[in-house]
Amino acid sequence: MLKIVLLLFIVVFNQVDACDFTDVTFSADFSSAHLDDCQQSGENSYLLTIKPENYPINDSPWYAFKVFAKDQRMIDIAIQYKQGRHRYRPKISHDGETWTIIPHQISNEKLTFKVVVTSQPVWISAQELVTNETYKNWLQLFAKKPEYQLSILGDSTEKRPIYQLESNADSKEWVVIVGRMHPPEVTGALALFPFSEELLLNNATGKSFRERFNILIIPNLNPDGVEHGHWRSNINGVDLNRDWKLFQQQETRVVRDKLQQIVADGGKIVFAIDFHSTGKDIFYTMPADYGLAPALLVETWLKHVDEITPQFKITMKPGHNPDNGVFKQYIADTYGVHAITYEMADRADRKQIISIAKIAAKSFMQVLLDTPKSHFYKNTYDVTANK
């Protein structure tokens, strides 16, 4: 009986590459596409089905496809979800880069909207496309500068590169930034980019910060899930942000091994940030009385950001669960320092995501620079008890 249950947990639904009707074609032949089934329900009406990569799964139904026609026409599209409820507003792009929200309706968890199609394909997606190529191009901007080192940390399960970008200081203190464990969480990626860029700027604060702190950025930990348009998991159907206790997946192991090597070489992990998306803007933190070093560092930082951003409310949600296997818990329990999960709302204003990320990064650097080095070693929490 146990074997049967395990098989049900890893079953993977097959996606389609294209649905070719007489006059209209739907295509899913690009990175991050996700389309499972298509039916023509009327003369210019189509029903699309979106299924998760495995089940049970977090409710994050991701869809992305292109559509074109033999001649210009208005079509009705309905999207239904299997094992999921509606989360993302549909967006359209004529170039794969610029996106606008499509007027739409939700009824009985079925998404419906109209769109004009021509012989030139348009992209329709749950969120903007931030693909593996997007990350590679972004990282290349820094690889050209001698003060940064771009390399491959390791490979994903399907042998895609997991890139790391490092800025090395003449010190032992390390700040770690991780992103995209969950493929649909695009607003987290849209925050990671400007936040990281602010740390890497050649201004006075950035230079001072990088003279004291080493920076490790791993922006895309789940390139297989991103490539296949997964709802949540890596290619093995595993939620990577639940694997930081057992380390059964290759993607989490390469990060663990990197951090262990830093410490073996005499380094000290002092802070970690993991970027995600959810229904609202929220910062998941460890409890203030958890004994991490330095005491109240996160509270000081986020309170400062809240004070200087009256247009944006900082919401902190402290908590811990040693058995969940989440990244911030792993950092706290293993290294005795603070880690946060930085979550941006799915529907957050894109310009505000960028502005808040930049402000948060500037404040983060100043707070850490104002913290004496010795304070990062004053944790009262017994990290050895959790190894």
Side-chain angles (χ1 to χ4, degrees):
M1 183 65 180
L2 178 59
K3 291 183 178 179
I4 295 174
V5 172
L6 290 175
L7 286 173
L8 288 173
F9 270 71
I10 64 171
V11 62
V12 176
F13 296 104
N14 294 322
Q15 299 182 40
V16 298
D17 290 329
C19 298
D20 194 358
F21 299 99
T22 303
D23 298 309
V24 175
T25 298
F26 294 86
S27 171
D29 62 351
F30 57 94
S31 179
S32 296
H34 188 117
L35 183 61
D36 294 286
D37 187 47
C38 320
Q39 300 175 36
Q40 185 166 3
S41 54
E43 182 178 356
N44 285 302
S45 300
Y46 301 89
L47 175 64
L48 312 182
T49 300
I50 304 299
K51 303 174 184 177
E53 60 268 19
N54 58 281
Y55 185 79
I57 197 168
N58 180 272
D59 212 358
S60 304
W62 174 264
Y63 52 90
F65 53 88
K66 291 187 286 189
V67 58
F68 56 95
K70 288 184 177 180
D71 50 44
Q72 181 171 319
R73 65 185 63 204
M74 174 82 76
I75 64 172
D76 293 297
I77 295 177
I79 296 178
Q80 63 181 1
Y81 311 104
K82 297 295 185 182
Q83 311 298 346
R85 303 178 64 185
H86 179 73
R87 174 170 171 175
Y88 303 108
R89 295 180 294 181
K91 298 168 185 64
I92 188 169
S93 174
H94 294 273
D95 58 6
E97 300 291 336
T98 304
W99 299 83
T100 56
I101 297 170
I102 306 172
H104 58 281
Q105 296 79 41
I106 302 295
S107 178
N108 297 322
E109 291 306 324
K110 184 180 290 186
L111 168 66
T112 59
F113 54 89
K114 298 178 182 292
V115 62
V116 175
V117 292
T118 68
S119 59
Q120 297 299 313
V122 293
W123 286 259
I124 294 175
S125 181
Q127 296 279 43
E128 301 92 322
L129 294 179
V130 179
T131 66
N132 292 323
E133 190 68 17
T134 306
Y135 286 102
K136 185 177 179 180
N137 292 338
W138 180 73
L139 289 165
Q140 288 294 339
L141 298 175
F142 303 98
K144 300 174 183 178
K145 300 179 180 181
E147 60 266 40
Y148 308 122
Q149 297 80 47
L150 175 62
S151 60
I152 296 174
L153 174 63
D155 290 333
S156 67
T157 303
E158 287 194 324
K159 305 302 180 185
R160 291 184 175 86
I162 297 172
Y163 291 103
Q164 61 179 354
L165 182 69
E166 295 177 89
S167 172
N168 297 122
D170 187 20
S171 77
K172 298 296 185 181
E173 299 166 285
W174 284 83
V175 170
V176 180
I177 294 175
V178 177
R180 208 65 182 276
M181 289 194 220
H182 300 148
E185 298 185 8
V186 168
T187 54
L190 298 180
L192 181 148
F193 292 143
F195 188 98
S196 301
E197 288 165 6
E198 201 67 33
L199 303 188
L200 301 175
L201 280 179
N202 281 322
N203 56 19
T205 304
K207 288 179 179 178
S208 296
F209 187 78
R210 294 193 305 279
E211 286 172 0
R212 176 174 170 186
F213 296 98
N214 301 284
I215 304 171
L216 171 64
I217 303 171
I218 307 167
N220 182 18
L221 190 56
N222 190 358
D224 296 344
V226 169
E227 182 67 24
H228 295 288
H230 280 186
W231 291 22
R232 183 78 168 182
S233 312
N234 72 348
I235 198 63
N236 293 327
V238 174
D239 181 342
L240 294 181
N241 205 30
R242 298 297 182 270
D243 191 47
W244 294 94
K245 187 177 180 68
L246 299 178
F247 294 99
Q248 295 179 324
Q249 301 305 303
Q250 187 162 324
E251 292 85 355
T252 53
R253 287 196 297 268
V254 297
V255 179
R256 177 201 62 187
D257 294 349
K258 172 70 175 184
L259 301 186
Q260 289 179 346
Q261 188 60 56
I262 287 173
V263 173
D265 291 339
K268 169 67 175 175
I269 310 299
V270 300
F271 206 102
I273 305 176
D274 179 23
F275 284 83
H276 286 263
S277 307
T278 189
K280 57 185 178 180
D281 303 315
I282 192 166
F283 296 83
Y284 290 104
T285 67
M286 297 301 295
D289 60 355
Y290 205 64
L292 303 177
L296 302 179
L297 178 66
V298 168
E299 288 76 9
T300 300
W301 168 37
L302 294 181
K303 181 181 179 182
H304 180 250
V305 176
D306 195 43
E307 290 172 349
I308 61 178
T309 56
Q311 76 281 15
F312 181 82
K313 178 175 174 54
I314 293 288
T315 301
M316 288 189 291
K317 188 172 182 180
H320 72 98
N321 189 328
D323 297 321
N324 268 8
V326 300
F327 179 73
K328 75 176 180 70
Q329 183 82 43
Y330 163 71
I331 292 293
D333 289 348
T334 306
Y335 300 106
V337 298
H338 293 277
I340 72 163
T341 307
Y342 185 127
E343 303 248 13
M344 284 289 97
D346 298 330
R347 301 186 179 188
D349 179 86
R350 277 26 182 181
K351 291 182 179 179
Q352 188 177 66
I353 289 175
I354 295 172
S355 65
I356 294 300
K358 290 181 176 181
I359 292 169
K362 291 175 184 176
S363 176
F364 174 75
M365 287 189 288
Q366 196 58 60
V367 168
L368 262 66
L369 285 169
D370 290 343
T371 303
K373 180 178 180 179
S374 61
H375 288 200
F376 288 109
Y377 294 83
K378 290 184 177 181
N379 62 290
T380 59
Y381 184 70
D382 182 8
V383 298
T384 62
N386 287 277
K387 291 185 176 179

